[in-house]
Amino acid sequence: MIQVRVHTISLGCPKNQVDTEWMLGGFGSFFVNEATAEGADVVLINTCGFIEPAVSESLQVILDMARTLAELSPRPHLVVTGCLVSRYGQELGAELPEVDLFLEIGRQGELGQRLRELAAQRREARPELVTALDGYAPSRLLTTPPSYAYLKIAEGCDNRCRFCTIPSIRGPLVSRGEAEIIDDARRCLDQGRKELVLIAQDVTAYGRDRGQKALRGLLEKLAPLNGLEWMRLMYLYPGGLDRDLLGFLSELGKPFIPYFDIPLQHAHPDILASMGRPFRRDPRAVVEQVREFFPEAALRTTFIVGYPGETEEHFAALESFVRQTRFMHLGVFPYYPEDGSEAAVLPNQLPDEVKEERRDRIMELQAEISEELLAGFEGQELDVLVDRPHEEWPGLYEGRAWFQAPEVDGITYVSGEDVGPGRMVRAVIEEVKTYDLVALA
């Protein structure tokens, strides 16, 4: 059989990972996943370009790979796609001539055709590659562990937060069709996944581009699917978490789990207003409303510190809010003045050392809160969804309890009989760490 050997590097968020999965799936049965570039016909790098560190990482990965490929003969085709390409476009071609193909996000479906054109130009290197690429067709190849899959329900964003470049990179909100999502979900579950993690730039906005509040109807159709044990919703914008949606979720029951990922970004109304956040009320009201319907809810959020004009008083309000609210999971980012964003040209930009000091203060506080909250689970018996074996310790596995989302939260180390990737096991929590748990099944 003619095979296309692809080495893939996917950077950034789960939304990027789903894009990578759709590109890889197009190769169908011709696809061979190469662990290194040395044995590949194609090296595919899906980049992130959301904030300054992500841009720097993406560029470094491309440069390192270009140096590696320069020493190979025949040299694999180097393809770069993702947010970095959509953000900087033609500028990259001049700066990175080593790259054979740049693909913007909206043109990722053209990967097969464009690769075939490249292969035809170098037919003497591997003529059968041209033939193999004739069969390229859109499909999805899951690359997550056998326990869960991401389900992207929309692309783009209509919110206009002043610090964010996502709308200019990924465009306005475009919701996927309900039937297409359901079909995608079934395919994931048919491959043994027990958890579906719904993602979008703003999950609560699903259907709004069509003049509908469509999330409720979608969840009603997803919930009864065979094999679905956990359904997790990520990126729930606070303005979309109204009483109607929360009331519906409280009645939905399993497989929905009461895990709420709400990117609040700050707690002081002055900073929230300057950020242009899509809600104008005290974030305490958002948290209280969620806990009214779900007293047991696991809350996750993210904050930006060092935003232009953030005074010590503003930061103290944020610190107090974190201390009082006691989020189970929390991430903090120092503000980056991103080119093209409105906030980049605001007055009163803060020094980097102030931003980093404030980030560290919040994370030190959160470490104490996390350990205290997790201590409440010691001795309890919980369901643990097993993701993968531990890389160093035979017989030990990495998994998650319901209040731990993949990749962004802590994990549960679990061992015992009948423990294996993709399985849901009952386990007793025997030890608590700052962010992780240790359990015995």
Side-chain angles (χ1 to χ4, degrees), residues 28-84:
S29 59
F30 300 113
F31 167 70
V32 176
N33 186 18
E34 289 289 341
T36 64
E38 284 74 6
D41 300 304
V42 178
V43 173
L44 175 66
I45 303 176
N46 196 356
T47 61
C48 181
F50 176 41
I51 55 177
E52 180 182 311
V55 171
S56 299
E57 180 191 18
S58 294
L59 289 172
Q60 191 61 56
V61 168
I62 296 168
L63 291 170
D64 290 345
M65 183 56 67
R67 282 192 286 267
T68 298
L69 299 188
E71 301 174 359
L72 302 180
S73 181
R75 187 179 73 85
H77 299 295
L78 178 55
V79 181
V80 175
T81 185
C83 289
L84 186 75

Short mmCIF file of all heavy atoms in Angstrom, two decimals, residues 28-84:
data_model
loop_
_atom_site.label_atom_id
_atom_site.label_comp_id
_atom_site.label_asym_id
_atom_site.label_seq_id
_atom_site.Cartn_x
_atom_site.Cartn_y
_atom_site.Cartn_z
N GLY A 28 -6.51 9.37 5.43
CA GLY A 28 -7.18 8.08 5.50
C GLY A 28 -6.24 6.94 5.82
O GLY A 28 -5.30 7.07 6.62
N SER A 29 -6.45 5.80 5.20
CA SER A 29 -5.64 4.61 5.45
C SER A 29 -4.23 4.75 4.91
O SER A 29 -3.36 3.92 5.17
CB SER A 29 -6.30 3.37 4.84
OG SER A 29 -6.46 3.54 3.45
N PHE A 30 -3.98 5.82 4.14
CA PHE A 30 -2.64 6.04 3.60
C PHE A 30 -1.71 6.68 4.64
O PHE A 30 -0.51 6.79 4.42
CB PHE A 30 -2.70 6.97 2.38
CG PHE A 30 -3.52 6.44 1.26
CD1 PHE A 30 -4.71 7.05 0.89
CD2 PHE A 30 -3.13 5.31 0.58
CE1 PHE A 30 -5.47 6.56 -0.13
CE2 PHE A 30 -3.89 4.80 -0.47
CZ PHE A 30 -5.07 5.43 -0.83
N PHE A 31 -2.27 7.10 5.76
CA PHE A 31 -1.51 7.89 6.73
C PHE A 31 -0.68 7.00 7.65
O PHE A 31 -1.16 6.01 8.18
CB PHE A 31 -2.48 8.74 7.55
CG PHE A 31 -1.86 9.36 8.76
CD1 PHE A 31 -0.93 10.39 8.64
CD2 PHE A 31 -2.20 8.93 10.03
CE1 PHE A 31 -0.37 10.98 9.75
CE2 PHE A 31 -1.64 9.52 11.14
CZ PHE A 31 -0.73 10.54 11.00
N VAL A 32 0.57 7.37 7.84
CA VAL A 32 1.43 6.75 8.83
C VAL A 32 1.98 7.86 9.71
O VAL A 32 2.58 8.83 9.21
CB VAL A 32 2.59 5.97 8.19
CG1 VAL A 32 3.53 5.43 9.27
CG2 VAL A 32 2.07 4.84 7.33
N ASN A 33 1.76 7.74 11.02
CA ASN A 33 2.23 8.76 11.95
C ASN A 33 3.69 8.51 12.27
O ASN A 33 4.04 7.48 12.86
CB ASN A 33 1.39 8.72 13.22
CG ASN A 33 1.74 9.85 14.18
OD1 ASN A 33 2.35 10.83 13.79
ND2 ASN A 33 1.34 9.70 15.43
N GLU A 34 4.55 9.44 11.89
CA GLU A 34 5.97 9.31 12.14
C GLU A 34 6.35 10.06 13.42
O GLU A 34 6.01 11.23 13.59
CB GLU A 34 6.77 9.86 10.97
CG GLU A 34 6.70 9.00 9.71
CD GLU A 34 7.47 7.69 9.85
OE1 GLU A 34 8.34 7.60 10.73
OE2 GLU A 34 7.18 6.76 9.08
N ALA A 35 7.06 9.38 14.31
CA ALA A 35 7.44 9.99 15.57
C ALA A 35 8.50 11.07 15.40
O ALA A 35 8.61 11.99 16.21
CB ALA A 35 7.93 8.92 16.54
N THR A 36 9.28 10.96 14.36
CA THR A 36 10.33 11.94 14.10
C THR A 36 10.26 12.41 12.66
O THR A 36 9.65 11.77 11.80
CB THR A 36 11.73 11.35 14.37
OG1 THR A 36 11.96 10.29 13.44
CG2 THR A 36 11.84 10.83 15.79
N ALA A 37 10.91 13.52 12.38
CA ALA A 37 10.90 14.07 11.02
C ALA A 37 11.73 13.24 10.05
O ALA A 37 11.51 13.27 8.84
CB ALA A 37 11.43 15.50 11.05
N GLU A 38 12.70 12.47 10.58
CA GLU A 38 13.64 11.77 9.71
C GLU A 38 12.97 10.79 8.76
O GLU A 38 13.43 10.58 7.64
CB GLU A 38 14.68 11.02 10.56
CG GLU A 38 15.75 11.93 11.15
CD GLU A 38 15.26 12.76 12.31
OE1 GLU A 38 14.10 12.56 12.76
OE2 GLU A 38 16.01 13.64 12.80
N GLY A 39 11.87 10.18 9.19
CA GLY A 39 11.22 9.19 8.33
C GLY A 39 10.00 9.70 7.60
O GLY A 39 9.24 8.93 7.02
N ALA A 40 9.78 11.01 7.59
CA ALA A 40 8.53 11.57 7.09
C ALA A 40 8.64 12.04 5.64
O ALA A 40 9.71 12.40 5.16
CB ALA A 40 8.10 12.74 7.98
N ASP A 41 7.50 12.03 4.97
CA ASP A 41 7.35 12.69 3.68
C ASP A 41 6.92 14.14 3.88
O ASP A 41 7.25 15.01 3.08
CB ASP A 41 6.28 11.99 2.83
CG ASP A 41 6.61 10.54 2.56
OD1 ASP A 41 7.70 10.27 2.02
OD2 ASP A 41 5.79 9.68 2.90
N VAL A 42 6.13 14.36 4.95
CA VAL A 42 5.57 15.67 5.24
C VAL A 42 5.76 15.96 6.72
O VAL A 42 5.52 15.10 7.57
CB VAL A 42 4.07 15.74 4.90
CG1 VAL A 42 3.48 17.10 5.27
CG2 VAL A 42 3.82 15.42 3.43
N VAL A 43 6.19 17.17 7.03
CA VAL A 43 6.20 17.65 8.42
C VAL A 43 5.18 18.77 8.51
O VAL A 43 5.26 19.77 7.79
CB VAL A 43 7.59 18.15 8.83
CG1 VAL A 43 7.52 18.80 10.22
CG2 VAL A 43 8.60 17.01 8.83
N LEU A 44 4.18 18.58 9.37
CA LEU A 44 3.07 19.52 9.51
C LEU A 44 3.15 20.18 10.88
O LEU A 44 3.07 19.51 11.91
CB LEU A 44 1.73 18.78 9.36
CG LEU A 44 0.46 19.59 9.60
CD1 LEU A 44 0.29 20.67 8.54
CD2 LEU A 44 -0.77 18.67 9.62
N ILE A 45 3.31 21.50 10.91
CA ILE A 45 3.34 22.25 12.16
C ILE A 45 2.11 23.15 12.21
O ILE A 45 1.95 24.04 11.39
CB ILE A 45 4.62 23.11 12.26
CG1 ILE A 45 5.87 22.24 12.14
CG2 ILE A 45 4.63 23.88 13.59
CD1 ILE A 45 7.18 23.03 12.15
N ASN A 46 1.24 22.88 13.19
CA ASN A 46 0.05 23.71 13.41
C ASN A 46 0.37 24.67 14.55
O ASN A 46 0.55 24.25 15.70
CB ASN A 46 -1.16 22.85 13.75
CG ASN A 46 -2.47 23.60 13.60
OD1 ASN A 46 -2.49 24.80 13.32
ND2 ASN A 46 -3.58 22.91 13.79
N THR A 47 0.46 25.94 14.23
CA THR A 47 1.01 26.93 15.17
C THR A 47 -0.06 27.63 16.00
O THR A 47 -1.23 27.67 15.65
CB THR A 47 1.78 28.02 14.40
OG1 THR A 47 0.87 28.68 13.50
CG2 THR A 47 2.93 27.41 13.62
N CYS A 48 0.41 28.22 17.10
CA CYS A 48 -0.41 29.13 17.90
C CYS A 48 0.17 30.53 17.73
O CYS A 48 1.38 30.70 17.59
CB CYS A 48 -0.38 28.71 19.37
SG CYS A 48 -1.38 29.75 20.46
N GLY A 49 -0.68 31.55 17.75
CA GLY A 49 -0.20 32.91 17.61
C GLY A 49 -1.02 33.87 18.42
O GLY A 49 -1.10 35.06 18.11
N PHE A 50 -1.62 33.39 19.51
CA PHE A 50 -2.57 34.16 20.29
C PHE A 50 -1.89 35.27 21.09
O PHE A 50 -2.34 36.41 21.11
CB PHE A 50 -3.35 33.21 21.20
CG PHE A 50 -4.30 33.87 22.14
CD1 PHE A 50 -5.10 34.93 21.73
CD2 PHE A 50 -4.42 33.43 23.44
CE1 PHE A 50 -5.98 35.54 22.61
CE2 PHE A 50 -5.30 34.03 24.32
CZ PHE A 50 -6.08 35.09 23.91
N ILE A 51 -0.81 34.92 21.79
CA ILE A 51 -0.09 35.89 22.60
C ILE A 51 1.40 35.78 22.31
O ILE A 51 1.86 34.82 21.69
CB ILE A 51 -0.35 35.71 24.11
CG1 ILE A 51 -0.02 34.28 24.56
CG2 ILE A 51 -1.78 36.07 24.46
CD1 ILE A 51 -0.19 34.04 26.05
N GLU A 52 2.15 36.76 22.78
CA GLU A 52 3.57 36.88 22.46
C GLU A 52 4.37 35.60 22.73
O GLU A 52 5.14 35.16 21.86
CB GLU A 52 4.15 38.05 23.25
CG GLU A 52 5.62 38.31 23.03
CD GLU A 52 6.10 39.46 23.91
OE1 GLU A 52 5.45 40.52 23.92
OE2 GLU A 52 7.12 39.28 24.58
N PRO A 53 4.24 34.93 23.90
CA PRO A 53 5.02 33.70 24.11
C PRO A 53 4.67 32.61 23.11
O PRO A 53 5.54 31.83 22.71
CB PRO A 53 4.64 33.29 25.54
CG PRO A 53 4.17 34.54 26.19
CD PRO A 53 3.49 35.32 25.11
N ALA A 54 3.39 32.52 22.71
CA ALA A 54 2.99 31.51 21.74
C ALA A 54 3.59 31.79 20.37
O ALA A 54 4.00 30.86 19.66
CB ALA A 54 1.46 31.45 21.64
N VAL A 55 3.65 33.06 19.99
CA VAL A 55 4.28 33.43 18.72
C VAL A 55 5.75 33.06 18.74
O VAL A 55 6.27 32.45 17.79
CB VAL A 55 4.12 34.95 18.46
CG1 VAL A 55 4.96 35.38 17.26
CG2 VAL A 55 2.65 35.29 18.22
N SER A 56 6.44 33.37 19.83
CA SER A 56 7.86 33.06 19.94
C SER A 56 8.10 31.56 19.89
O SER A 56 9.03 31.08 19.22
CB SER A 56 8.43 33.63 21.25
OG SER A 56 8.31 35.04 21.28
N GLU A 57 7.26 30.80 20.61
CA GLU A 57 7.42 29.34 20.60
C GLU A 57 7.21 28.78 19.19
O GLU A 57 7.98 27.93 18.73
CB GLU A 57 6.42 28.69 21.56
CG GLU A 57 6.54 27.17 21.59
CD GLU A 57 5.40 26.49 22.33
OE1 GLU A 57 4.35 27.13 22.54
OE2 GLU A 57 5.57 25.32 22.70
N SER A 58 6.16 29.25 18.50
CA SER A 58 5.87 28.75 17.16
C SER A 58 7.03 29.02 16.21
O SER A 58 7.45 28.15 15.43
CB SER A 58 4.58 29.38 16.62
OG SER A 58 3.46 28.97 17.37
N LEU A 59 7.56 30.24 16.26
CA LEU A 59 8.68 30.59 15.38
C LEU A 59 9.90 29.73 15.69
O LEU A 59 10.60 29.28 14.76
CB LEU A 59 9.02 32.07 15.53
CG LEU A 59 7.99 33.05 14.95
CD1 LEU A 59 8.35 34.48 15.33
CD2 LEU A 59 7.90 32.92 13.43
N GLN A 60 10.16 29.50 16.97
CA GLN A 60 11.33 28.69 17.33
C GLN A 60 11.17 27.26 16.85
O GLN A 60 12.13 26.64 16.37
CB GLN A 60 11.53 28.72 18.84
CG GLN A 60 12.87 28.13 19.29
CD GLN A 60 14.04 28.89 18.70
OE1 GLN A 60 14.17 30.10 18.87
NE2 GLN A 60 14.92 28.18 17.98
N VAL A 61 9.98 26.71 16.99
CA VAL A 61 9.73 25.33 16.53
C VAL A 61 9.95 25.23 15.02
O VAL A 61 10.55 24.27 14.52
CB VAL A 61 8.31 24.89 16.92
CG1 VAL A 61 7.92 23.60 16.19
CG2 VAL A 61 8.21 24.69 18.42
N ILE A 62 9.46 26.21 14.27
CA ILE A 62 9.64 26.20 12.82
C ILE A 62 11.12 26.27 12.46
O ILE A 62 11.61 25.51 11.61
CB ILE A 62 8.88 27.38 12.18
CG1 ILE A 62 7.37 27.22 12.39
CG2 ILE A 62 9.18 27.46 10.68
CD1 ILE A 62 6.57 28.47 12.04
N LEU A 63 11.85 27.17 13.09
CA LEU A 63 13.27 27.33 12.78
C LEU A 63 14.07 26.07 13.14
O LEU A 63 14.95 25.63 12.37
CB LEU A 63 13.83 28.54 13.53
CG LEU A 63 13.33 29.91 13.04
CD1 LEU A 63 13.76 31.00 14.01
CD2 LEU A 63 13.84 30.20 11.64
N ASP A 64 13.76 25.48 14.30
CA ASP A 64 14.45 24.25 14.69
C ASP A 64 14.17 23.13 13.71
O ASP A 64 15.08 22.37 13.32
CB ASP A 64 14.02 23.83 16.10
CG ASP A 64 14.54 24.76 17.18
OD1 ASP A 64 15.46 25.56 16.89
OD2 ASP A 64 14.02 24.70 18.31
N MET A 65 12.92 23.01 13.28
CA MET A 65 12.57 21.96 12.33
C MET A 65 13.23 22.20 10.98
O MET A 65 13.70 21.26 10.32
CB MET A 65 11.04 21.89 12.18
CG MET A 65 10.57 20.78 11.25
SD MET A 65 11.17 19.12 11.74
CE MET A 65 10.27 18.91 13.30
N ALA A 66 13.25 23.45 10.54
CA ALA A 66 13.89 23.76 9.25
C ALA A 66 15.36 23.34 9.26
O ALA A 66 15.88 22.82 8.25
CB ALA A 66 13.75 25.25 8.95
N ARG A 67 16.04 23.56 10.39
CA ARG A 67 17.45 23.16 10.48
C ARG A 67 17.59 21.64 10.42
O ARG A 67 18.50 21.10 9.79
CB ARG A 67 18.06 23.70 11.78
CG ARG A 67 18.43 25.18 11.70
CD ARG A 67 19.28 25.61 12.87
NE ARG A 67 18.49 25.70 14.08
CZ ARG A 67 17.91 26.82 14.50
NH1 ARG A 67 18.00 27.92 13.78
NH2 ARG A 67 17.22 26.85 15.62
N THR A 68 16.66 20.94 11.07
CA THR A 68 16.69 19.47 11.04
C THR A 68 16.47 18.95 9.62
O THR A 68 17.19 18.06 9.15
CB THR A 68 15.61 18.89 11.98
OG1 THR A 68 15.90 19.30 13.32
CG2 THR A 68 15.57 17.38 11.91
N LEU A 69 15.49 19.51 8.92
CA LEU A 69 15.14 19.01 7.59
C LEU A 69 16.23 19.33 6.57
O LEU A 69 16.38 18.61 5.57
CB LEU A 69 13.81 19.63 7.14
CG LEU A 69 12.59 19.32 8.00
CD1 LEU A 69 11.32 19.82 7.32
CD2 LEU A 69 12.47 17.84 8.30
N ALA A 70 16.98 20.40 6.79
CA ALA A 70 18.02 20.79 5.83
C ALA A 70 19.09 19.71 5.68
O ALA A 70 19.78 19.65 4.66
CB ALA A 70 18.67 22.11 6.26
N GLU A 71 19.21 18.85 6.70
CA GLU A 71 20.22 17.81 6.68
C GLU A 71 19.71 16.50 6.10
O GLU A 71 20.47 15.53 5.99
CB GLU A 71 20.74 17.58 8.10
CG GLU A 71 21.34 18.83 8.73
CD GLU A 71 21.73 18.63 10.18
OE1 GLU A 71 21.50 17.50 10.69
OE2 GLU A 71 22.26 19.56 10.80
N LEU A 72 18.44 16.44 5.72
CA LEU A 72 17.85 15.18 5.24
C LEU A 72 17.77 15.16 3.72
O LEU A 72 17.59 16.19 3.08
CB LEU A 72 16.44 15.01 5.82
CG LEU A 72 16.33 15.01 7.35
CD1 LEU A 72 14.87 14.83 7.77
CD2 LEU A 72 17.20 13.93 7.97
N SER A 73 17.90 13.97 3.16
CA SER A 73 17.76 13.79 1.72
C SER A 73 17.07 12.45 1.46
O SER A 73 17.58 11.40 1.88
CB SER A 73 19.13 13.83 1.03
OG SER A 73 18.98 13.67 -0.36
N PRO A 74 15.89 12.45 0.79
CA PRO A 74 15.18 13.64 0.34
C PRO A 74 14.58 14.41 1.51
O PRO A 74 14.26 13.82 2.54
CB PRO A 74 14.07 13.07 -0.55
CG PRO A 74 13.84 11.70 -0.01
CD PRO A 74 15.18 11.19 0.45
N ARG A 75 14.44 15.69 1.35
CA ARG A 75 13.93 16.54 2.42
C ARG A 75 12.42 16.49 2.45
O ARG A 75 11.76 16.71 1.42
CB ARG A 75 14.40 17.98 2.21
CG ARG A 75 14.05 18.92 3.36
CD ARG A 75 14.57 20.32 3.12
NE ARG A 75 13.78 21.01 2.10
CZ ARG A 75 12.65 21.68 2.34
NH1 ARG A 75 12.16 21.73 3.57
NH2 ARG A 75 12.01 22.29 1.37
N PRO A 76 11.81 16.21 3.61
CA PRO A 76 10.34 16.23 3.71
C PRO A 76 9.79 17.62 3.39
O PRO A 76 10.46 18.63 3.58
CB PRO A 76 10.07 15.85 5.17
CG PRO A 76 11.31 15.17 5.63
CD PRO A 76 12.44 15.81 4.88
N HIS A 77 8.55 17.65 2.92
CA HIS A 77 7.87 18.93 2.71
C HIS A 77 7.53 19.52 4.07
O HIS A 77 6.97 18.85 4.94
CB HIS A 77 6.58 18.73 1.91
CG HIS A 77 6.80 18.17 0.55
ND1 HIS A 77 7.48 18.83 -0.44
CD2 HIS A 77 6.42 16.97 0.01
CE1 HIS A 77 7.50 18.09 -1.53
NE2 HIS A 77 6.87 16.95 -1.28
N LEU A 78 7.83 20.79 4.27
CA LEU A 78 7.53 21.47 5.53
C LEU A 78 6.31 22.36 5.34
O LEU A 78 6.33 23.31 4.55
CB LEU A 78 8.73 22.31 5.99
CG LEU A 78 8.54 23.12 7.28
CD1 LEU A 78 8.12 22.24 8.44
CD2 LEU A 78 9.82 23.89 7.63
N VAL A 79 5.23 22.03 6.06
CA VAL A 79 3.96 22.75 5.98
C VAL A 79 3.69 23.43 7.32
O VAL A 79 3.78 22.79 8.37
CB VAL A 79 2.80 21.81 5.62
CG1 VAL A 79 1.49 22.59 5.53
CG2 VAL A 79 3.08 21.06 4.33
N VAL A 80 3.37 24.70 7.29
CA VAL A 80 3.06 25.45 8.50
C VAL A 80 1.66 26.05 8.36
O VAL A 80 1.33 26.67 7.34
CB VAL A 80 4.08 26.58 8.75
CG1 VAL A 80 3.67 27.42 9.96
CG2 VAL A 80 5.47 25.98 8.96
N THR A 81 0.84 25.85 9.37
CA THR A 81 -0.53 26.36 9.35
C THR A 81 -0.89 26.90 10.72
O THR A 81 -0.05 27.00 11.60
CB THR A 81 -1.50 25.25 8.90
OG1 THR A 81 -2.83 25.79 8.77
CG2 THR A 81 -1.53 24.09 9.90
N GLY A 82 -2.14 27.29 10.92
CA GLY A 82 -2.60 27.72 12.23
C GLY A 82 -2.64 29.22 12.43
O GLY A 82 -2.54 30.01 11.49
N CYS A 83 -2.76 29.62 13.69
CA CYS A 83 -3.00 31.03 14.04
C CYS A 83 -1.85 31.94 13.63
O CYS A 83 -2.08 33.09 13.25
CB CYS A 83 -3.26 31.15 15.54
SG CYS A 83 -4.84 30.47 16.07
N LEU A 84 -0.61 31.46 13.74
CA LEU A 84 0.52 32.30 13.36
C LEU A 84 0.41 32.71 11.89
O LEU A 84 0.66 33.86 11.54
CB LEU A 84 1.83 31.55 13.59
CG LEU A 84 3.11 32.36 13.37
CD1 LEU A 84 3.32 33.32 14.53
CD2 LEU A 84 4.31 31.43 13.22
#
